[in-house]
Amino acid sequence: MTSDISTITPPWLTEALKTAHQRLVFVELSKREQERSKHRDSPPSSTHTSALPKFFSLSKSEKDEASRHYSVAIGRDLNNRWANRYSNIEPYDRTRVVVGASESTSLGCGDCNGRYFNGSWVKELHGGKWWIATQAPLRETAHAFLSVFTQPIESSSDTSPPRSRVRTVVQLTLNHENGRAKAYSYFPSKLGESMIVTPEPGIAAQPFRVASEEQKYINEANCFQTKVSVISEGEEPREPVVFTHMLYVAWPDHGIPEEEDEASLLRFLRLVDQVNKKPHPDSADDDPQPPIMVNCSAGIGRTGTFIALSSLLRHYNLLDSSSLSPDTSCGVLATQSPLGPIYGLEADMVAQEVDNLREQRPGMVQRNEQISLIYQILAKAFLDYK
């Protein structure tokens, strides 16, 4: 890190780069996530003893409301557990993505119908963009995963996701890491080939025929970019749905990229933003900024880190290297936390962003070193403008 970073970096970030400050952030964010976890595990009208400071003390009615706010009952339902890649990671009922919802059903509603999908609607705090944060698909959930691309996104209010089709997916895990399966490959690796993906038992939906049409490796961004097409079998001939798959290959499980790969991660972040802004030439979809679906393996650690970075880079106009017009205004929470604000860290935009993401999907930005990475990459982005 150069000695003159404070001349181009916001004062709050200069302070946040200090080890002592980050240790405080780790402690405070961990306390709040522990409290959320207790409410997830406590049905309404139950009680639990909190070892946290007084501002976490809630009345019985407040505890009941917090338990409903942090409920993951749908993901833990016996009928849905098979679709969770990891037994301890479920989406909040209020932010979950519902596949196959009817026109009268609003997505993100905990009691609505539709197929269960371990994915969460997430809105950036500072950048303001909508995402779908999800686990990597299993073989049995690949059809539901692909269904997200084949239908518009429902919206019921101004605070809901926009009505727009997802056309970009970001994958931050390899399909196999350290000898373990981390993601199911839902499109063929060879160009020109196709594969059939069938729905889960009991779902009256047509199988999908999936093909890889174009692929290139982008060395400076350490990624593969693949054009994937999807068409329903058994229906009248029509144009396939096309989306772009972006695979970043230099981010290890339960960790962060090596220091020499940080520059490629920043380039990848910018590339994803650029790709998502461009509609496919053979598509009628002209939304300039549709939601992006992003997954690692569990859909919380690398996924949350990527979204947090994107939000802060977008906030400071650092995704587009053509201009630098810092905006120092505070973001608006997607949902108000029953835990209240983070006291003592109001100026730290990374801490605020991470806490906001954890309000929308449990465990986002899973590890302390991933929080540190957000500070590091954001500082590197400012240095790019020296």
Side-chain angles (χ1 to χ4, degrees):
M1 203 67 66
T2 61
S3 59
D4 61 347
I5 188 171
S6 61
T7 64
I8 55 175
T9 302
W12 72 265
L13 182 54
T14 301
E15 178 65 24
L17 291 169
K18 299 176 181 178
T19 300
H21 178 89
Q22 291 189 26
R23 286 175 177 166
L24 174 63
V25 170
F26 300 158
V27 170
E28 294 304 313
L29 290 180
S30 177
K31 286 179 181 179
R32 291 171 69 84
E33 190 62 7
Q34 288 174 28
E35 187 71 2
R36 293 185 186 100
S37 178
K38 290 177 181 179
H39 288 299
R40 289 197 295 272
D41 295 335
S42 300
S45 299
S46 69
T47 60
H48 64 263
T49 302
S50 174
L52 300 180
K54 286 184 179 180
F55 58 81
F56 281 110
S57 299
L58 302 175
S59 66
K60 179 179 178 295
S61 61
E62 289 172 329
K63 286 179 179 178
D64 285 352
E65 181 59 33
S67 294
R68 286 188 287 270
H69 184 81
Y70 295 119
S71 173
V72 291
I74 294 174
R76 290 182 178 178
D77 188 280
L78 288 175
N79 294 318
N80 296 328
R81 289 183 187 176
W82 63 271
N84 297 323
R85 177 172 283 275
Y86 300 98
S87 61
N88 62 338
I89 300 173
E90 310 94 353
Y92 287 127
D93 296 344
R94 62 184 163 81
T95 60
R96 75 184 185 98
V97 175
V98 181
V99 175
S102 66
E103 291 182 1
S104 61
T105 301
S106 62
L107 299 180
C109 172
D111 59 356
C112 48
N113 298 319
R115 298 157 68 183
Y116 173 69
F117 177 73
N118 191 318
S120 306
W121 283 113
V122 171
K123 188 178 183 181
E124 299 171 349
L125 174 60
H126 294 102
K129 181 177 177 55
W130 282 99
W131 299 74
I132 292 176
T134 180
Q135 68 179 20
L138 300 157
R139 179 186 295 271
E140 299 82 4
T141 64
H143 191 279
F145 189 94
L146 289 166
S147 295
V148 175
F149 298 102
T150 63
Q151 56 193 9
I153 304 302
E154 298 291 339
S155 175
S156 60
S157 71
D158 291 340
T159 59
S160 296
R163 185 182 176 88
S164 178
R165 188 178 68 80
V166 175
R167 60 177 183 238
T168 308
V169 60
V170 173
Q171 182 172 326
L172 301 170
T173 180
L174 300 177
N175 291 335
H176 290 84
E177 294 182 358
N178 300 319
R180 300 185 63 182
K182 294 293 182 177
Y184 174 70
S185 181
Y186 50 89
F187 59 89
S189 58
K190 292 185 178 181
L191 297 182
E193 293 188 353
S194 64
M195 62 184 286
I196 300 296
V197 177
T198 58
E200 62 268 33
I203 297 298
Q206 296 292 338
F208 290 132
R209 180 176 293 277
V210 190
S212 302
E213 298 189 357
E214 298 175 7
Q215 186 178 86
K216 59 183 175 180
Y217 180 72
I218 304 170
N219 185 64
E220 62 271 21
N222 260 335
C223 76
F224 286 94
Q225 179 177 327
T226 307
K227 178 181 175 182
V228 181
S229 66
V230 183
I231 192 165
S232 295
E233 290 282 280
E235 295 185 356
E236 292 295 325
R238 59 184 177 86
E239 291 298 315
V241 171
V242 178
F243 66 89
T244 301
H245 181 270
M246 307 288 292
L247 170 63
Y248 184 72
V249 300
W251 198 334
D253 193 20
H254 300 300
I256 60 175
E258 298 292 336
E259 186 174 353
E260 59 266 25
D261 290 322
E262 289 183 359
S264 75
L265 176 58
L266 184 53
R267 293 189 187 102
F268 181 69
L269 283 153
R270 289 170 172 158
L271 178 62
V272 167
D273 184 67
Q274 293 166 10
V275 168
N276 191 57
K277 288 178 179 177
K278 297 178 181 178
H280 294 287
D282 51 358
S283 172
D285 182 13
D286 59 357
D287 188 336
Q289 206 39 293
I292 297 173
M293 186 150 69
V294 56
N295 72 271
C296 44
S297 188
I300 58 174
R302 289 170 281 187
T303 292
T305 306
F306 189 88
I307 295 174
L309 274 167
S310 296
S311 176
L312 290 161
L313 291 169
R314 183 174 291 104
H315 175 82
Y316 282 106
N317 292 324
L318 292 168
L319 279 176
D320 181 358
S321 59
S322 64
S323 65
L324 176 61
S325 304
D327 176 4
T328 57
S329 62
C330 182
V332 178
L333 288 172
T335 56
Q336 294 300 315
S337 171
L339 306 183
I342 312 177
Y343 293 96
L345 295 173
E346 292 86 352
D348 188 324
M349 294 174 68
V350 171
Q352 297 290 337
E353 189 74 50
V354 171
D355 194 65
N356 175 66
L357 293 177
R358 291 179 177 180
E359 277 290 310
Q360 299 171 86
R361 182 169 173 84
M364 292 283 269
V365 194
Q366 191 176 20
R367 297 177 177 272
N368 290 341
E369 57 265 37
Q370 293 171 338
I371 298 175
S372 292
L373 178 69
I374 299 171
Y375 293 114
Q376 294 165 18
I377 298 295
L378 186 57
K380 186 182 292 291
F382 277 100
L383 284 174
D384 281 355
Y385 288 89
K386 264 186 82 173

